[in-house]
Amino acid sequence: MHIMNLKKINKFVYEIFLNHNLSSKDAKISAKALINAELVGAHTHGLSRLAMYCKRIKKKIINPKAKIKIKKISQSITHIDAKNSIGFVAADIGIKTAIKNAKKTGIGLVAIKNSGHYGLSSYYAEQAIKKNLMVWCFTNAPPAIAPFGAKKSLFGTNPICFGTPTGNKVPFILDTSVSMINRGKIRVAAKLGHKIPLGVALDKFGKATTDAKKALKGVQLPIAGFRGSGLAWMVDIMSGVLTGANHAGKVKDPFDDFTGPQNVGHLFLVLKPGIFVGKNYIKRIKENIKIIKKLPKIKGVQEILYPGQGMSARYKQNLKKGIVVPKNILEDLIKLHAVI
Ligand SMILES: NC(=O)c1ccc[n+]([C@@H]2O[C@H](COP(=O)([O-])OP(=O)(O)OC[C@H]3O[C@@H](n4cnc5c(N)ncnc54)[C@H](O)[C@@H]3O)[C@@H](O)[C@H]2O)c1
């Protein structure tokens, strides 16, 4: 285990992306998104994925110099063809465009096709919230969850993300996979030989398993049974069917399938929160959170947290502590850094 300060790790990852033919601007965008995942404690979406992105660039299924096409449909709506760019860059353009549209008209909708895995939805949501806007982010992922009633996995862990300013420093950001746990956690457990909790996955015979490797070959379970399956389906429609991206189980697994680009879809919806209640919005949301936080608590709970509070606390801590790089990941990074 090695602890690197933020500046050093940022520069290192930036140089790795440069070595893999990203422009300086795009390398900066990608390094920042990846390091942010480490800062918020989402290690499964941070440095551990860097080798995968680089491998996909080397195999020419991520285009580091993609000529991303931006088509303005109206003052509020934009359609982006990412042309198989790295997901971070397409998503960065997407959220910035949605913010710009929302500032102009009150609402900004951006659909992106032909993209790749973009990391954490919350990272993009935060950008809109910083501009005092409300935001929804959707993206589809490779097959992991069996649709309710089916034996075979087809839906991704398809995260749903909603964020809003709260009138205090910590925004409300609900950013959740629709699977019992995210797939990255199962991958890491498989790599380290750790068990996964019971009730999150079935093996390929449909039997509950705590063996991560068997879970990866079987199916992950959605949150709340058919309700979670329905939410995964909704995200597949919004991110895939609507945008023009792959859907219905066709998004390729970034780790295991190098037969072509992933063609992931993203959908960003950004809104001025005051469109109905004007300046009162912040007063109203403050009141909403205050009422909920004051509820009597169950035993063992010190504070009722709203989504996003934990992430913000981890970010602050890690900012001070630096980025912890496990030995095997450090070895990968050094190899990637040396490749020109
Ligand atoms: N790009 C992709 O294909 C993809 C796929 C799946 C997940 N992801 C990302 O992975 C990340 C992790 O997803 P996850 O499902 O593991 O998230 P998680 O289970 O860690 O958290 C889900 C949500 O619950 C909230 N939360 C957690 N504990 C809470 C508490 N005690 N009280 C109130 N709220 C609480 C969190 O703030 C978060 O908004 C997300 O950022 C997601 O966007 C990306």
Side-chain angles (χ1 to χ4, degrees):
M1 201 169 80
H2 189 79
I3 298 183
M4 279 170 109
N5 79 39
L6 201 59
K7 218 170 152 191
K8 198 167 161 198
I9 187 74
N10 226 321
K11 183 167 177 280
F12 205 70
V13 174
Y14 163 74
E15 286 169 353
I16 290 175
F17 279 124
L18 273 188
N19 283 351
H20 287 79
N21 286 328
L22 264 77
S23 67
S24 172
K25 183 174 171 234
D26 291 351
K28 256 183 216 156
I29 289 169
S30 303
K32 206 171 157 199
L34 208 72
I35 302 297
N36 172 74
E38 293 290 334
L39 284 171
V40 299
H43 308 296
T44 54
H45 284 69
L47 296 173
S48 63
R49 291 198 177 225
L50 187 50
M52 173 274 284
Y53 294 117
C54 293
K55 191 169 172 189
R56 295 189 81 78
I57 293 171
K58 272 194 225 147
K59 299 236 173 217
K60 299 191 187 316
I61 46 179
I62 286 179
N63 182 354
K65 295 272 193 298
K67 300 231 173 314
I68 297 176
K69 223 171 94 189
I70 303 170
K71 187 176 160 197
K72 189 169 165 179
I73 293 177
S74 74
Q75 292 284 84
S76 299
I77 307 170
T78 305
H79 194 195
I80 295 177
D81 183 343
K83 301 274 187 184
N84 305 320
S85 77
I86 194 160
F88 300 128
V89 170
D92 189 72
I93 296 175
I95 193 66
K96 288 192 165 70
T97 307
I99 290 170
K100 207 168 79 190
N101 293 355
K103 288 218 144 194
K104 242 188 271 163
T105 69
I107 185 163
L109 178 67
V110 173
I112 307 179
K113 65 176 179 177
N114 288 319
S115 187
H117 185 269
Y118 74 15
L120 307 180
S121 297
S122 55
Y123 180 65
Y124 307 99
E126 274 184 309
Q127 295 193 36
I129 296 166
K130 277 190 188 136
K131 305 278 180 192
N132 295 317
L133 296 162
M134 189 183 260
V135 57
W136 288 259
C137 308
F138 302 95
T139 186
N140 57 0
I145 299 174
F148 191 75
K151 258 191 198 167
K152 195 171 173 290
S153 57
L154 182 141
F155 298 136
T157 50
N158 296 1
I160 293 177
C161 178
F162 164 73
T164 172
T166 53
N168 72 47
K169 277 189 191 139
V170 181
F172 179 111
I173 303 183
L174 174 73
D175 180 16
T176 179
S177 316
V178 290
S179 47
M180 290 295 288
I181 61 174
N182 78 54
R183 194 160 187 80
K185 285 185 183 159
I186 303 186
R187 281 191 190 285
V188 170
K191 208 168 172 181
L192 303 177
H194 293 168
K195 281 199 180 319
I196 54 169
L198 190 67
V200 305
L202 308 178
D203 66 16
K204 65 179 179 188
F205 305 108
K207 233 179 103 197
T209 185
T210 56
D211 182 320
K213 283 188 181 148
K214 287 186 182 166
L216 287 175
K217 288 194 181 124
V219 300
Q220 282 185 243
L221 294 174
I223 49 171
F226 64 85
R227 296 176 179 87
S229 170
L231 289 172
W233 204 332
M234 176 191 83
V235 176
D236 199 38
I237 295 168
M238 294 178 77
S239 320
V241 179
L242 179 68
T243 61
N246 273 344
H247 60 94
K250 292 193 193 79
V251 168
K252 291 186 198 289
D253 192 308
F255 289 96
D256 301 332
D257 189 342
F258 295 90
T259 58
Q262 282 194 282
N263 188 6
V264 171
H266 319 303
L267 191 77
F268 296 125
L269 176 60
V270 176
L271 200 69
K272 275 190 185 162
I275 49 174
F276 302 118
V277 294
K279 287 202 176 107
N280 271 339
Y281 179 80
I282 290 298
K283 205 172 123 202
R284 290 171 63 80
I285 191 153
K286 274 188 167 171
E287 184 191 8
N288 172 285
I289 291 173
K290 196 168 149 194
I291 290 172
I292 294 166
K293 278 196 173 276
K294 274 194 177 156
L295 287 175
K297 291 171 268 299
I298 56 172
K299 206 173 156 206
V301 171
Q302 308 221 314
E303 183 188 351
I304 296 172
L305 298 171
Y306 59 80
Q309 280 195 283
M311 183 175 82
S312 165
R314 287 193 297 276
Y315 184 91
K316 273 190 209 141
Q317 256 176 17
N318 290 332
L319 213 50
K320 274 196 219 138
K321 212 168 71 182
I323 304 292
V324 179
V325 189
K327 192 169 165 275
N328 61 338
I329 293 182
L330 185 64
E331 284 165 6
D332 277 357
L333 297 193
I334 291 169
K335 272 188 223 148
L336 292 168
H337 195 258
V339 174
I340 308 260

